[in-house]
Each structure stands twice: as C-alpha cells, then as structure tokens.
Coordinates of all heavy atoms in Angstrom, one line a residue:
P18 N 7.3 -41.8 30.0 CA 6.9 -40.8 30.9 C 7.2 -39.4 30.5 O 8.2 -39.1 29.9 CB 7.6 -41.2 32.2 CG 8.1 -42.6 32.0 CD 8.3 -42.7 30.5
F19 N 6.4 -38.5 30.9 CA 6.6 -37.1 30.7 C 6.2 -36.3 32.0 O 5.4 -36.8 32.8 CB 5.9 -36.5 29.5 CG 4.4 -36.6 29.5 CD1 3.6 -35.6 29.9 CD2 3.8 -37.8 29.0 CE1 2.3 -35.7 29.9 CE2 2.4 -37.9 29.0 CZ 1.6 -36.8 29.5
V20 N 6.8 -35.1 32.2 CA 6.5 -34.4 33.4 C 5.7 -33.1 33.0 O 6.1 -32.4 32.0 CB 7.8 -34.0 34.2 CG1 7.5 -33.1 35.4 CG2 8.5 -35.2 34.6
R21 N 4.7 -32.8 33.7 CA 3.9 -31.6 33.5 C 3.5 -31.0 34.8 O 2.9 -31.7 35.7 CB 2.6 -32.0 32.7 CG 1.8 -30.7 32.3 CD 0.7 -31.1 31.3 NE 1.2 -31.6 30.0 CZ 0.5 -32.3 29.2 NH1 -0.7 -32.7 29.5 NH2 1.0 -32.7 28.0
H22 N 3.8 -29.8 35.0 CA 3.6 -29.1 36.3 C 4.1 -29.8 37.5 O 3.4 -29.9 38.5 CB 2.0 -28.8 36.5 CG 1.4 -28.1 35.3 ND1 1.8 -26.9 34.9 CD2 0.5 -28.5 34.4 CE1 1.1 -26.5 33.8 NE2 0.3 -27.5 33.5
G23 N 5.3 -30.4 37.4 CA 5.9 -31.2 38.5 C 5.3 -32.6 38.7 O 5.8 -33.3 39.6
R24 N 4.4 -33.0 37.9 CA 3.8 -34.3 38.0 C 4.3 -35.2 36.9 O 4.3 -34.8 35.8 CB 2.3 -34.2 38.0 CG 1.7 -33.3 39.1 CD 0.3 -33.1 39.0 NE -0.2 -32.3 40.2 CZ -1.4 -32.1 40.5 NH1 -2.4 -32.6 39.8 NH2 -1.8 -31.4 41.6
T25 N 4.6 -36.5 37.3 CA 5.1 -37.4 36.3 C 3.9 -38.3 35.7 O 3.2 -38.9 36.5 CB 6.1 -38.4 36.9 OG1 7.2 -37.6 37.4 CG2 6.7 -39.3 35.8
F26 N 3.7 -38.2 34.4 CA 2.6 -39.0 33.8 C 3.2 -40.2 33.0 O 4.2 -40.0 32.2 CB 1.9 -38.1 32.8 CG 1.0 -37.0 33.4 CD1 1.6 -35.9 33.9 CD2 -0.3 -37.1 33.4 CE1 0.9 -34.9 34.5 CE2 -1.1 -36.1 34.0 CZ -0.5 -35.0 34.5
V27 N 2.7 -41.3 33.3 CA 3.2 -42.5 32.6 C 2.0 -43.0 31.7 O 1.0 -43.5 32.2 CB 3.6 -43.7 33.5 CG1 4.1 -44.9 32.8 CG2 4.6 -43.2 34.5
P28 N 2.0 -42.8 30.4 CA 0.9 -43.2 29.5 C 0.8 -44.8 29.5 O 1.8 -45.5 29.4 CB 1.3 -42.7 28.1 CG 2.5 -41.8 28.3 CD 3.1 -42.2 29.6
L29 N -0.4 -45.2 29.7 CA -0.7 -46.7 29.7 C -1.4 -47.1 28.4 O -1.7 -48.3 28.3 CB -1.4 -47.1 31.0 CG -0.8 -46.7 32.3 CD1 -1.7 -47.1 33.5 CD2 0.6 -47.4 32.4
T30 N -1.8 -46.2 27.6 CA -2.4 -46.5 26.3 C -1.6 -45.8 25.2 O -0.9 -44.9 25.5 CB -3.8 -46.0 26.3 OG1 -3.8 -44.6 26.7 CG2 -4.8 -46.8 27.1
R31 N -1.7 -46.3 24.0 CA -0.9 -45.7 22.9 C -1.8 -45.3 21.8 O -1.3 -44.9 20.8 CB 0.2 -46.7 22.5 CG -0.3 -48.0 22.0 CD 0.9 -48.9 21.7 NE 0.4 -50.3 21.4 CZ 1.2 -51.3 21.3 NH1 2.5 -51.1 21.5 NH2 0.8 -52.5 21.1
R32 N -3.1 -45.3 22.0 CA -4.0 -44.9 20.9 C -4.3 -43.5 21.1 O -4.8 -43.1 22.1 CB -5.2 -45.8 21.0 CG -6.3 -45.5 20.0 CD -7.4 -46.5 20.3 NE -8.7 -45.8 20.1 CZ -9.5 -45.5 21.1 NH1 -9.3 -45.9 22.3 NH2 -10.6 -44.9 20.9
P33 N -4.1 -42.6 20.0 CA -4.5 -41.2 20.2 C -6.0 -41.1 20.2 O -6.7 -41.8 19.5 CB -3.9 -40.6 18.9 CG -3.7 -41.6 18.0 CD -3.5 -42.9 18.7
G34 N -6.5 -40.1 20.9 CA -8.0 -39.9 21.0 C -8.7 -40.9 21.8 O -8.1 -41.9 22.2
G35 N -9.9 -40.7 22.1 CA -10.7 -41.6 22.9 C -10.2 -41.7 24.3 O -9.5 -40.8 24.8
L36 N -10.6 -42.8 25.0 CA -10.2 -43.0 26.4 C -8.7 -43.1 26.5 O -8.0 -43.8 25.8 CB -10.8 -44.2 27.0 CG -12.3 -44.1 27.2 CD1 -12.9 -45.4 27.7 CD2 -12.7 -43.0 28.1
Q37 N -8.1 -42.4 27.5 CA -6.6 -42.4 27.7 C -6.4 -42.9 29.1 O -7.1 -42.5 30.1 CB -6.0 -41.1 27.5 CG -6.1 -40.5 26.1 CD -5.4 -41.3 25.1 OE1 -4.2 -41.6 25.3 NE2 -6.0 -41.7 24.0
A38 N -5.4 -43.7 29.4 CA -5.1 -44.2 30.7 C -3.7 -43.8 31.1 O -2.7 -43.8 30.2 CB -5.1 -45.7 30.8
Y39 N -3.5 -43.3 32.3 CA -2.2 -42.8 32.8 C -2.0 -43.3 34.2 O -3.0 -43.4 35.0 CB -2.1 -41.3 32.8 CG -2.2 -40.6 31.5 CD1 -3.4 -40.2 31.0 CD2 -1.1 -40.4 30.7 CE1 -3.5 -39.6 29.8 CE2 -1.2 -39.8 29.5 CZ -2.4 -39.4 29.0 OH -2.5 -38.7 27.8
K40 N -0.8 -43.5 34.6 CA -0.4 -43.6 36.0 C 0.3 -42.2 36.3 O 1.1 -41.8 35.5 CB 0.6 -44.7 36.3 CG 1.1 -44.7 37.7 CD 2.1 -45.8 38.0 CE 2.6 -45.7 39.4 NZ 3.7 -46.7 39.7
I41 N -0.1 -41.5 37.3 CA 0.4 -40.2 37.7 C 1.1 -40.3 39.0 O 0.5 -40.8 40.0 CB -0.7 -39.1 37.7 CG1 -1.5 -39.2 36.4 CG2 -0.1 -37.8 37.8 CD1 -2.7 -38.2 36.4
V42 N 2.3 -39.8 39.1 CA 3.0 -39.7 40.4 C 3.0 -38.2 40.7 O 3.5 -37.4 40.0 CB 4.4 -40.2 40.3 CG1 5.1 -40.1 41.7 CG2 4.4 -41.7 39.9
I43 N 2.4 -37.8 41.9 CA 2.3 -36.4 42.3 C 3.0 -36.2 43.6 O 2.8 -36.9 44.6 CB 0.8 -36.1 42.5 CG1 0.0 -36.4 41.2 CG2 0.6 -34.6 42.9 CD1 -1.5 -36.2 41.3
P44 N 4.0 -35.3 43.6 CA 4.7 -35.0 44.8 C 3.8 -34.3 45.8 O 2.8 -33.8 45.5 CB 5.9 -34.1 44.4 CG 5.4 -33.4 43.1 CD 4.4 -34.4 42.5
V45 N 4.3 -34.2 47.1 CA 3.5 -33.6 48.1 C 3.4 -32.1 47.8 O 4.4 -31.5 47.4 CB 4.2 -33.8 49.5 CG1 3.4 -33.1 50.6 CG2 4.3 -35.3 49.8
D46 N 2.2 -31.6 48.0 CA 2.0 -30.1 47.8 C 2.8 -29.3 48.8 O 2.9 -29.7 50.0 CB 0.5 -29.8 48.0 CG -0.4 -30.4 46.9 OD1 0.1 -30.7 45.8 OD2 -1.6 -30.6 47.2
P47 N 3.4 -28.2 48.4 CA 4.2 -27.4 49.3 C 3.2 -26.8 50.4 O 2.1 -26.6 50.1 CB 4.7 -26.3 48.4 CG 4.5 -26.7 47.0 CD 3.4 -27.7 47.0
P48 N 3.8 -26.5 51.6 CA 2.9 -25.9 52.6 C 2.2 -24.7 52.2 O 2.8 -23.8 51.5 CB 3.9 -25.6 53.8 CG 5.1 -26.5 53.5 CD 5.2 -26.7 52.0
G49 N 1.0 -24.6 52.5 CA 0.2 -23.4 52.1 C -0.2 -23.3 50.7 O -0.9 -22.4 50.2
H50 N 0.1 -24.4 49.9 CA -0.2 -24.3 48.4 C -1.7 -24.6 48.2 O -2.2 -25.6 48.7 CB 0.6 -25.4 47.7 CG 0.3 -25.6 46.3 ND1 0.6 -24.6 45.3 CD2 -0.4 -26.6 45.6 CE1 0.2 -25.0 44.1 NE2 -0.4 -26.2 44.3
E51 N -2.4 -23.8 47.5 CA -3.8 -24.0 47.1 C -3.8 -24.3 45.6 O -3.5 -23.4 44.8 CB -4.6 -22.8 47.4 CG -5.5 -22.9 48.7 CD -6.1 -24.2 49.0 OE1 -6.9 -24.8 48.3 OE2 -5.8 -24.7 50.1
V52 N -4.2 -25.5 45.2 CA -4.3 -25.7 43.8 C -5.5 -25.0 43.2 O -6.6 -24.9 43.9 CB -4.4 -27.3 43.5 CG1 -3.1 -28.0 43.7 CG2 -5.5 -27.9 44.2
Q53 N -5.4 -24.5 42.0 CA -6.5 -23.8 41.3 C -7.4 -24.8 40.6 O -6.9 -25.7 39.9 CB -5.9 -22.8 40.3 CG -5.1 -21.7 41.0 CD -5.9 -20.8 42.0 OE1 -7.0 -20.4 41.6 NE2 -5.4 -20.7 43.2
T54 N -8.7 -24.6 40.7 CA -9.6 -25.5 40.0 C -9.7 -25.1 38.6 O -9.5 -23.9 38.2 CB -11.0 -25.5 40.7 OG1 -11.5 -24.2 40.7 CG2 -11.0 -26.0 42.1
G55 N -10.0 -26.0 37.7 CA -10.2 -25.7 36.3 C -11.3 -26.6 35.8 O -11.7 -27.6 36.4
A56 N -11.9 -26.3 34.6 CA -12.9 -27.1 34.0 C -12.6 -27.2 32.5 O -12.0 -26.3 31.9 CB -14.3 -26.5 34.2
H57 N -13.0 -28.4 31.9 CA -12.8 -28.6 30.5 C -13.6 -29.8 30.1 O -14.2 -30.5 30.9 CB -11.3 -28.9 30.2 CG -10.7 -30.0 31.1 ND1 -10.8 -31.3 30.8 CD2 -10.0 -29.9 32.3 CE1 -10.3 -32.1 31.8 NE2 -9.8 -31.2 32.7
E58 N -13.8 -30.0 28.8 CA -14.6 -31.1 28.3 C -13.9 -32.4 28.7 O -12.7 -32.5 28.8 CB -14.6 -31.1 26.7 CG -15.5 -30.0 26.2 CD -17.0 -30.3 26.5 OE1 -17.4 -31.5 26.4 OE2 -17.7 -29.3 26.8
G59 N -14.7 -33.4 29.0 CA -14.2 -34.7 29.3 C -14.9 -35.3 30.5 O -15.8 -34.8 31.2
Y60 N -14.4 -36.5 30.8 CA -14.9 -37.3 32.0 C -13.7 -38.1 32.5 O -12.9 -38.6 31.8 CB -16.0 -38.3 31.5 CG -17.0 -38.7 32.6 CD1 -18.1 -37.9 32.9 CD2 -16.8 -39.8 33.4 CE1 -19.0 -38.2 33.9 CE2 -17.6 -40.1 34.4 CZ -18.7 -39.3 34.6 OH -19.6 -39.7 35.7
E61 N -13.6 -38.1 33.8 CA -12.4 -38.7 34.4 C -12.7 -39.7 35.5 O -13.7 -39.5 36.3 CB -11.5 -37.6 35.0 CG -10.1 -38.1 35.4 CD -9.0 -37.0 35.4 OE1 -9.4 -35.9 35.1 OE2 -7.9 -37.3 35.8
W62 N -11.9 -40.8 35.6 CA -12.0 -41.8 36.6 C -10.6 -41.9 37.3 O -9.6 -42.0 36.6 CB -12.4 -43.1 35.9 CG -12.5 -44.3 36.8 CD1 -13.7 -44.8 37.4 CD2 -11.5 -45.3 37.1 NE1 -13.4 -46.0 38.1 CE2 -12.1 -46.3 37.9 CE3 -10.1 -45.4 36.8 CZ2 -11.3 -47.4 38.4 CZ3 -9.4 -46.4 37.2 CH2 -10.0 -47.4 38.1

C-alpha cells in the first residue's frame, strides 16, 4: 500500500502498464471541503 493525498491505495495487480486494479480507502472529507475536478487520459471503473 501507498498513500497519496491522504488516500490509501492497495495495488491488486503487479503488471506495469495496461489495466491497473486498486483498492482505495478514502477518509471522510473535511467539512466544507470541495474536491477539485481534473481530467486525464484513461478510462475508470
């Protein structure tokens, strides 16, 4: 597992590139917190 922006990512695949699978644990957003949207190449499920 590794932590990025306060979120814990658990990689479920070990192959670099291509489809990647993760379990993500996300803490409760602080009161009044508005997450910023972003866009990038890819497709997510």
Side-chain angles (χ1 to χ4, degrees):
F19 60 94
V20 177
R21 186 174 292 159
H22 307 299
R24 300 173 176 192
T25 303
F26 290 75
V27 182
L29 302 176
T30 49
R31 55 184 174 192
R32 178 178 140 249
L36 292 176
Q37 299 293 312
Y39 297 93
K40 177 182 175 183
I41 310 173
V42 180
I43 304 173
V45 178
D46 294 334
H50 174 72
E51 255 329 295
V52 289
Q53 298 297 311
T54 59
H57 50 86
E58 284 294 321
Y60 206 86
E61 190 158 358
W62 178 92

